[in-house]
């Protein structure tokens, strides 16, 4: 099993929302489903990912100030993955393959 | 001497502007690892407020020169307590409720100089926020403004999931080969770039082809666990296909809705008249809120009052016989906006009633009613030139006031 860590850091404490999804489509072998909603800074570690398998990680939400996100762990380059969004609604998705 | 004062004032404003460009609170995530550095330059909530409302209270620093062309000019520097805190504690994160209190209260220092550049008056005061429903970062005044945005986010999440299910079903090679993984990651980069730049014109054709396929709709709606409506889903999908960014559009609506909410402040002030060697005291109140449903070039209602106790200069001895009460009601309208949809020119019409509770000079009335207009023109960034014209219908007289203001916001 492989592990990834997803961090989200909001620069303010009010009126934030981030929907985090980590998944692998049901039509494929080893489907996977993880969905969680955050309103404050968070760190989530998933340790049950199958070796050498493709997963999707999606972020959708809004913040009136700034959020920085980072994905790190046991997956192929590019690693780690970081991004930030400022005073807006945002959507970003990433495809990784575990090592 | 006058040139020295003006140059010093401008340099002070410039110094504060340079030192106010802070990168924000401490973060454990280092920016050096950022892969995608494109940031949406979506308008911040503060940029949606009118220049008229920013003159009431500044979020950071504000400098002004009142009565620019008159004989007695007043130089005023306003600062929020938050601005001072950020200057001296730049990298220390503070709790938002404490930050809110610091942002919502400001102090000001000012001095008035006559035409021979002699300082005739020194003043200091506070502006205390009693009510500010415009604060988009606070959850206190939620009234459903975010509901549509949250619904849009659920749908975007569903569309993202639908795209992955679609490619897994109709393009399984994207998951089984090294080349397929690169194509999948390129699709992600195209999606991310389109949302960050709000430019969907060059979005990956894999995405547009999928969105146009009727199979895609059934995949999304079948796996719809948040129960968004098919109608809303179709609307947002069409928005994306037509090049629009539904998230930015919805967030802008929320920002504009907040910018129009009510605001109320009071401002006590003490000044020292160096000519008559005595103090002056005043208390002012300002209340504003946006009007109408349209958030483009909005209307703004404003009610102001001020009571002052000062020296009657017609009496030689020290006294407090000048006690004017001033009441005004007006409407402010944004006339022009720049490309970022921020106000660039505003026009305000307001009536003002002044009543003198103290001594009135012979030949003058104790109550005066005037009709007034203020045209605010944005000269450069946060530098504004408000020009006020006052008309006294009883006397048929007109006079004008020029002011120069700079709001340094964060």
């Amino acid at each position: 099993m492989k592990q990834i860590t997803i961090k989200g850091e909001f620069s303010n404490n009010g009126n934030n929302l981030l929907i985090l999804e980590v998944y692998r489509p049901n039509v494929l072998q080893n489907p996977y489903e993880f969905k969680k909603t955050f309103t404050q800074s968070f760190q989530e570690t998933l340790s049950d990912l199958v070796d050498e398998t493709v997963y999707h990680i999606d972020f959708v939400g809004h913040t009136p100030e700034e959020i920085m996100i980072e994905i790190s762990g046991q997956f192929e380059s590019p690693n780690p993955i970081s991004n930030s969004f400022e005073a807006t609604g945002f959507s970003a998705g990433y495809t990784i393959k575990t090592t | 001497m006058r040139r020295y004062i003006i140059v010093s004032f401008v340099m002070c404003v410039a110094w504060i502007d340079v030192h106010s460009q802070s990168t924000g609170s401490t973060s454990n995530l280092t920016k050096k690892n950022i892969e995608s550095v494109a940031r949406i330059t979506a308008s911040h909530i503060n940029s949606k407020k009118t220049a008229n409302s920013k003159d009431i209270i500044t979020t950071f620093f504000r400098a002004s020169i009142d009565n620019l062309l008159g004989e007695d000019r007043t130089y005023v520097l306003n600062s929020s307590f938050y601005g001072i805190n950020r200057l001296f504690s730049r990298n220390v994160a503070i709790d938002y409720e404490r930050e809110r209190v610091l942002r919502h209260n400001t102090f000001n220092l000012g001095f008035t100089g006559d035409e021979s550049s002699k300082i005739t008056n020194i003043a200091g005061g506070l502006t205390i926020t009693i009510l500010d429903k415009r604060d988009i970062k606070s959850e206190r005044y939620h009234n459903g403004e975010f509901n549509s945005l949250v619904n849009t986010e659920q749908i975007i999440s569903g569309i993202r999931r639908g795209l992955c299910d679609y490619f897994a079903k109709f393009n399984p090679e994207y998951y089984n080969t090294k080349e397929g993984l690169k194509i999948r990651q390129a699709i992600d980069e195209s999606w991310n770039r389109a949302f960050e730049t709000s430019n969907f014109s060059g979005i990956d054709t894999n995405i547009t082809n999928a969105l146009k396929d009727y199979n895609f709709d059934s995949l999304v709606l079948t796996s719809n666990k948040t129960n968004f409506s098919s109608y809303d889903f179709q609307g947002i999908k069409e928005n994306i296909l037509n090049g629009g960014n539904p998230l930015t559009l919805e967030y802008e609506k929320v920002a504009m809705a907040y910018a129009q909410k009510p605001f109320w402040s009071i401002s006590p002030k003490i000044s020292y008249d160096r000519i008559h060697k005595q103090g002056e005291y005043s208390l002012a109140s300002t209340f504003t809120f946006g009007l109408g449903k349209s958030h483009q070039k909005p209307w703004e209602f404003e009610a102001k009052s001020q009571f002052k106790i000062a020296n009657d200069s017609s009496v030689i001895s020290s006294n407090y016989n000048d006690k004017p009460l001033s009441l005004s009601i007006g409407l402010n309208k944004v006339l022009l906006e720049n490309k970022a949809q921020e106000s660039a020119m505003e026009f305000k019409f307001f009536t003002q009633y002044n009543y003198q509770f103290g001594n009135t000079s012979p030949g003058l009335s104790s109550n005066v009613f005037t009709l007034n207009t203020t045209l605010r023109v944005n000269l450069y960034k946060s530098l504004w030139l408000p020009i006020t014209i006052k008309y006294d219908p009883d006397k048929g007289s007109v006079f004008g006031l020029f002011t120069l203001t700079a709001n340094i916001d964060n």
Side-chain angles (χ1 to χ4, degrees), chain A residues 15 21 56 62 65 83 95, chain B residues 136-137 142 153 157 175 188:
Chain A
N15 279 335
E21 278 199 87
H56 298 290
H62 61 262
E65 204 160 273
N83 205 343
T95 301
Chain B
I136 198 172
K137 296 179 193 174
H142 261 188
E153 287 161 357
S157 177
Y175 293 86
D188 286 340

Side-chain angles (χ1 to χ4, degrees), chain A residues 1-71:
Chain A
M1 288 294 178
K2 291 293 190 267
Q3 177 175 295
I4 63 171
T5 299
I6 302 166
K7 293 181 191 173
E9 193 162 319
F10 291 102
S11 61
N12 68 295
N13 292 327
N15 279 335
N16 301 309
L17 182 76
L18 184 142
I19 305 170
L20 169 65
E21 278 199 87
V22 181
Y23 58 94
R24 181 173 164 81
N26 293 335
V27 297
L28 300 174
Q29 210 175 12
N30 300 314
Y32 189 85
E33 185 95 34
F34 172 86
K35 185 174 182 178
K36 206 165 177 182
T37 301
F38 300 95
T39 56
Q40 294 187 9
S41 299
F42 66 92
Q43 180 171 310
E44 201 69 40
T45 300
L46 304 175
S47 308
D48 54 349
L49 304 188
V50 177
D51 297 8
E52 295 183 355
T53 303
V54 174
Y55 293 88
H56 298 290
I57 304 168
D58 285 351
F59 302 87
V60 180
H62 61 262
T63 177
E65 204 160 273
E66 185 180 12
I67 178 173
M68 294 178 70
I69 57 173
E70 183 181 270
I71 310 165

Side-chain angles (χ1 to χ4, degrees), chain B residues 53-202:
Chain B
S53 66
K54 287 181 186 178
D55 277 354
I56 303 167
I57 191 163
T58 181
T59 56
F60 213 56
F61 295 108
R62 176 177 172 269
S64 67
I65 306 174
D66 299 335
N67 196 20
L68 192 61
L69 302 181
E71 292 178 354
D72 297 330
R73 286 179 203 81
T74 301
Y75 306 87
V76 183
L77 185 65
N78 287 272
S79 170
S80 68
F81 291 100
Y82 175 72
I84 297 297
N85 182 271
R86 284 292 296 276
L87 273 183
F88 295 105
S89 313
R90 197 172 296 189
N91 294 321
V92 177
I94 60 174
D95 173 73
Y96 179 66
E97 282 305 311
R98 177 165 178 248
E99 179 187 317
R100 198 176 131 81
V101 171
L102 293 175
R103 281 184 182 273
H104 283 167
N105 299 289
T106 69
F107 67 90
N108 58 77
L109 296 169
F111 57 89
T112 303
D114 62 15
E115 57 181 0
S116 60
S117 301
K118 186 178 171 184
I119 295 176
T120 57
N121 192 295
I122 301 170
L126 300 172
T127 297
I128 301 165
T129 301
I130 305 297
L131 174 73
D132 184 8
K133 290 193 173 185
R134 304 175 307 177
D135 189 355
I136 198 172
K137 296 179 193 174
S138 173
E139 294 173 345
R140 286 188 193 184
Y141 302 117
H142 261 188
N143 196 24
E145 290 88 359
F146 282 91
N147 291 351
S148 182
L149 175 60
V150 173
N151 185 52
T152 300
E153 287 161 357
Q154 298 285 6
I155 294 172
I156 295 292
S157 177
I159 289 176
R160 278 284 308 171
R161 182 63 188 263
L163 283 170
C164 295
D165 290 342
Y166 181 91
F167 295 134
K169 186 171 180 179
F170 297 103
N171 300 97
E173 68 276 13
Y174 289 175
Y175 293 86
N176 300 331
T177 65
K178 211 168 189 177
E179 292 70 29
L181 176 62
K182 285 184 182 174
I183 293 172
R184 197 61 196 84
Q185 288 174 334
I187 292 172
D188 286 340
E189 282 174 26
S190 177
W191 173 276
N192 297 346
R193 191 166 48 246
F195 269 88
E196 285 172 358
T197 60
S198 291
N199 182 359
F200 288 74
S201 59

